[in-house]
Amino acid sequence: MISRSQEVTPEVLRLLPDLSSGALTAPYESYRMDELGTAVERLRTGAAVGKIVLNLDGAA
């Protein structure tokens, strides 16, 4: 999304209330920093569902 920010910004702003309320969800996988290798492997192989989130505070 960052690399295409100008073209997707209007849609993101339109969908933001639904994302914030939980009416619309976006798939993601969450990993701790010590699981970085697993996260990268899932991205590399195409096995990841949605986006990958790395939690810097250690919570998954």
Side-chain angles (χ1 to χ4, degrees):
M1 216 169 70
I2 292 171
S3 63
R4 298 176 44 206
S5 63
Q6 286 187 340
E7 66 185 83
V8 299
T9 296
E11 288 302 309
V12 170
L13 293 175
R14 183 180 68 78
L15 296 172
L16 195 54
D18 289 336
L19 284 166
S20 296
S21 72
L24 178 65
T25 59
Y28 69 93
E29 296 181 13
S30 182
Y31 296 91
R32 297 181 315 263
M33 283 303 293
D34 64 341
E35 298 174 306
L36 179 61
T38 300
V40 169
E41 182 66 13
R42 289 189 56 79
L43 283 170
R44 188 185 68 73
T45 62
V49 176
K51 298 293 183 179
I52 296 289
V53 176
L54 290 176
N55 288 311
L56 303 179
D57 65 1

